[in-house]
Amino acid sequence: MLRASVWCSLLLALICSTSYSSGINLSIRGLGEVQGSETKTARTEQVVLQFLNIPYAEPPVGQRRFKAPVALSPWNGVKDVTRPGRPCPQPGITDQITPSEITSAVEDCLSLSVYTKNVTAKLPVMVYIHGGSFYLGKAADHPPNYLLERDVLLVAIQYRLGALGFLSTMSSTIPGNAAMLDIILALKWVQDHISDFGGDPGRVTVFGQSAGAAATSALLYSPLVPPSYFSQVILQSGGATVAWANDPNPVENAKEIARFAGCDTVRPIEDIERCLLELPVLKLLKALDLHTQERTLNQGVNNVGGCGMVIGGPSSFLDAAPFDKIRSGRVRKDVRIMAGVTKHDGSFMVAEVYDALLAMNLTEDKQFNQYDLIDMVNRVYGIDDHSGALAGFEVESLFSEQDINSGNFTQLMAGIIDIAGAITIKAPVLRDVQSNVRHSEKETYLYSFDYKGEHTRFGYGASTAHYPFEGGAHHSNDNIYLFPYPSFAANLNAADTMMSEIMVDLWTSFAIDGVPRSNRGVPTWPKVNGPTGPYLHINNPATIGTNFYDEYAVSVHGRSGAGIAYW
């Protein structure tokens, strides 16, 4: 799966980052001069100036590994930013480099890309934070060719991933939350320099998908983020209260990751930290992978470490858990939010669980499916309820008596997908929405992306033929219509092109004046005025829903009489 995504990324770089001309020089006040290139918008072929690899921090290498980023010093001469920046170390990319070739230079990845049509304008700015479970992703996967059909400026940032971005011993040596501090420094860079590219630092919308949305959500609760950095956010399938976005036991988890990497974890913590600082990147990546595999199935994503935010500690990023801040009302009251999910947001999580159960020969185990499956998936997704109460409510809401008694894995799949979607995506998004409705003076908009087009990201490039369910309106399918990535998204059919136009309308109009709208058959999108809605169903045609909790059971309600989920 990861190897396929690498080739898609390389292909996209050729398609969407081709320089139609070079020698576009621009001076960034206080930093230096850069040379960019040009691309064009996908439909009207407007010229877009692109600056693809602008560093915003000093290389986080050597003793700077795991530490807060340091703002970049000015440079002499002209910096060539005509090619995409080096991705931050991650599986599927970094491990394609042989150990003899890899050096600390691969950690020098803190860059951002700026796309603008007019460097003398004062355009609203959209800053994108990519997803990828906090251990995958890069800026080059989010080109401007759709969004810049409208009059906005796009910034796509890169931040440290996996253990390099999140590992913590809760000490000054490895404080944690390095990735989140990267994002804050990138937002400061936007405030200081985006006017040189034709952007308005007073009109910044931060948006992200999945882990990028969880990171965006977390910015709302951090005391380190000045209110001037942004006034609006768009959360696509992610929120900061979700279990997988947080590390509950950072020191214990850091020690276990160190053990997997070959460090002597019997020694004092200072020696363990020294070992982690000196580890080759590939060893660190592998150690995190082993830790994640072991913890996810045995203890659940809420016990995985080294790849999520930490509460407290010397980084000072979060002085309290986001939910505690929501409950006490210690949240920003001046932020406008647009947030939502894809209708079948849980199917990608169930695919991973299905593969694991298949390998253990449990998918055909009738008694396991009758008595253990629901409790197991709850635990994997972050809720370990020994009483059986949660499973009981889920059975009552999502399964028939015949489903449970059958012990048939396929027959239970629709409900399992709904459980996965609710726990890992939909409930955390709704939590942020409800908080903003309750505490903010600004508007809140909520959506469900229901559209099922020609293409899907289900499987992320790997075969999905063995799954006894489809991906539906799959996690991240909404991004197909905002960014021409992967390669199939650059060649949409007529119906999908219309959906892309609608999505671009809604996202950019929100960035421009705070009101998401489209004249392409979309009804007026009502503001959320209570705990359940209303909200927009983004589909063809678009409709208005009133109770967002209905989205917790969409797979069950759409299944056939045989119990297989059809969309």
Side-chain angles (χ1 to χ4, degrees):
M1 179 180 74
L2 296 175
R3 194 177 297 272
S5 69
V6 174
W7 285 110
C8 285
S9 300
L10 294 174
L11 179 61
L12 181 73
L14 293 174
I15 293 173
C16 292
S17 297
T18 300
S19 297
Y20 292 92
S21 63
S22 60
I24 300 167
N25 285 27
L26 184 144
S27 180
I28 307 174
R29 282 169 288 185
L31 285 180
E33 193 171 355
V34 292
Q35 181 185 75
S37 57
E38 292 182 0
T39 185
K40 293 182 180 179
T41 60
R43 287 148 194 154
T44 60
E45 296 191 336
Q46 299 176 67
V47 173
V48 175
L49 308 180
Q50 55 182 10
F51 304 87
L52 297 175
N53 181 24
I54 305 173
Y56 63 86
E58 297 291 341
V61 300
Q63 291 302 306
R64 287 182 177 148
R65 178 187 273 188
F66 305 126
K67 304 287 198 308
V70 176
L72 189 70
S73 300
W75 60 81
N76 296 318
V78 179
K79 190 177 292 291
D80 184 346
V81 292
T82 59
R83 298 184 180 279
R86 176 189 293 111
C88 286
Q90 58 191 279
I93 295 179
T94 306
D95 55 16
Q96 302 301 307
I97 306 172
T98 64
S100 62
E101 294 174 332
I102 201 165
T103 68
S104 64
V106 300
E107 297 180 51
D108 182 8
C109 62
L110 298 184
S111 68
L112 51 82
S113 298
V114 180
Y115 306 95
T116 182
K117 293 187 292 188
N118 186 350
V119 297
T120 65
K122 203 171 184 181
L123 298 167
V125 179
M126 300 183 73
V127 179
Y128 187 74
I129 303 175
H130 70 75
S133 301
F134 288 138
Y135 73 95
L136 297 171
K138 56 187 183 299
D141 294 348
H142 305 92
N145 311 74
Y146 290 166
L147 287 172
L148 263 70
E149 291 285 1
R150 312 295 184 263
D151 291 332
V152 296
L153 182 152
L154 175 65
V155 179
I157 69 175
Q158 296 194 158
Y159 55 96
R160 280 172 282 181
L161 301 170
L164 292 169
F166 293 96
L167 194 74
S168 176
T169 57
M170 302 297 273
S171 72
S172 58
T173 303
I174 308 180
N177 295 322
M180 301 308 302
L181 301 182
D182 293 342
I183 292 170
I184 294 174
L185 184 60
L187 291 174
K188 182 180 187 303
W189 188 99
V190 169
Q191 288 298 304
D192 292 343
H193 304 297
I194 206 64
S195 59
D196 291 327
F197 297 83
D200 183 353
R203 286 195 294 167
V204 174
T205 299
V206 179
F207 70 126
Q209 187 270 336
S210 193
T216 302
S217 167
L219 296 173
L220 299 172
Y221 308 110
S222 174
L224 299 184
V225 182
S228 59
Y229 280 14
F230 59 85
S231 58
Q232 302 191 147
V233 300
I234 302 174
L235 307 177
Q236 299 175 226
S237 299
T241 61
V242 71
W244 53 258
N246 298 279
D247 185 345
N249 299 297
V251 178
E252 174 191 340
N253 290 329
K255 288 180 178 179
E256 182 171 291
I257 291 166
R259 178 175 63 83
F260 277 122
C263 299
D264 183 355
T265 55
V266 178
R267 299 185 64 81
I269 189 66
E270 293 80 9
D271 291 342
I272 299 171
E273 290 172 334
R274 190 175 304 110
C275 179
L276 289 166
L277 279 165
E278 295 172 355
L279 275 177
V281 171
L282 293 181
K283 278 194 173 183
L284 192 58
L285 289 176
K286 183 62 176 177
L288 177 62
D289 186 48
L290 292 171
H291 164 82
T292 301
Q293 290 178 29
E294 191 276 331
R295 284 296 182 92
T296 299
L297 281 179
N298 295 328
Q299 299 184 40
V301 295
N302 55 321
N303 288 296
V304 172
C307 202
M309 293 171 279
V310 299
I311 311 302
S315 77
S316 301
F317 175 69
L318 288 171
D319 55 344
F323 176 68
D324 291 336
K325 303 195 82 166
I326 291 172
R327 184 169 50 187
S328 63
R330 291 182 293 141
V331 300
R332 284 187 59 176
K333 297 174 172 59
D334 60 345
V335 176
R336 187 178 288 110
I337 287 182
M338 186 172 109
V341 302
T342 67
K343 181 167 285 293
H344 305 107
D345 239 328
S347 58
F348 86 107
M349 295 287 290
V350 174
E352 296 179 5
V353 169
Y354 179 81
D355 287 338
L357 294 179
L358 191 65
M360 293 185 287
N361 297 314
L362 288 174
T363 57
E364 302 300 323
D365 187 325
K366 182 176 179 179
Q367 282 202 345
F368 173 82
N369 294 331
Q370 287 176 317
Y371 295 102
D372 299 321
L373 177 61
I374 294 173
D375 282 327
M376 190 219 71
V377 297
N378 283 332
R379 183 180 68 252
V380 167
Y381 300 140
I383 302 177
D384 195 2
D385 173 29
H386 296 276
S387 73
L390 174 62
F393 278 111
E394 290 168 339
V395 168
E396 176 64 23
S397 302
L398 300 172
F399 303 93
S400 69
E401 181 181 354
Q402 291 74 23
D403 291 336
I404 296 299
N405 287 334
S406 74
N408 183 295
F409 191 92
T410 299
Q411 194 163 329
L412 296 167
M413 270 301 87
I416 297 300
I417 288 171
D418 282 335
I419 291 172
I423 293 176
T424 63
I425 304 292
K426 296 182 180 183
V429 168
L430 185 59
R431 186 73 82 182
D432 279 331
V433 165
Q434 290 172 335
S435 172
N436 211 60
V437 172
R438 186 177 183 183
H439 299 298
S440 180
E441 300 169 356
K442 300 294 185 180
E443 298 82 7
T444 306
Y445 298 92
L446 179 61
Y447 71 85
S448 173
F449 182 81
D450 300 352
Y451 182 74
K452 188 172 183 290
E454 178 185 8
H455 302 289
T456 180
R457 286 181 170 166
F458 185 41
Y460 298 109
S463 173
T464 59
H466 67 291
Y467 294 122
F469 53 89
E470 298 178 7
H474 182 261
H475 187 68
S476 79
N477 274 9
D478 47 346
N479 265 2
I480 291 172
Y481 308 96
L482 295 171
F483 305 101
Y485 173 84
S487 55
F488 60 69
N491 186 28
L492 302 178
N493 63 28
D496 290 359
T497 296
M498 175 58 71
M499 179 51 60
S500 177
E501 292 280 12
I502 290 170
M503 291 287 284
V504 169
D505 282 346
L506 296 173
W507 263 239
T508 58
S509 62
F510 180 76
I512 291 168
D513 61 18
V515 181
R517 61 169 71 87
S518 175
N519 61 7
R520 293 171 168 82
V522 178
T524 299
W525 189 340
K527 294 174 285 189
V528 182
N529 56 26
T532 65
Y535 64 105
L536 181 68
H537 287 281
I538 301 178
N539 206 343
N540 190 13
T543 58
I544 305 300
T546 59
N547 183 3
F548 191 76
Y549 286 106
D550 290 339
E551 301 306 312
Y552 288 24
V554 292
S555 301
V556 166
H557 291 166
R559 67 187 179 181
S560 73
I564 300 175
Y566 286 103
W567 301 299

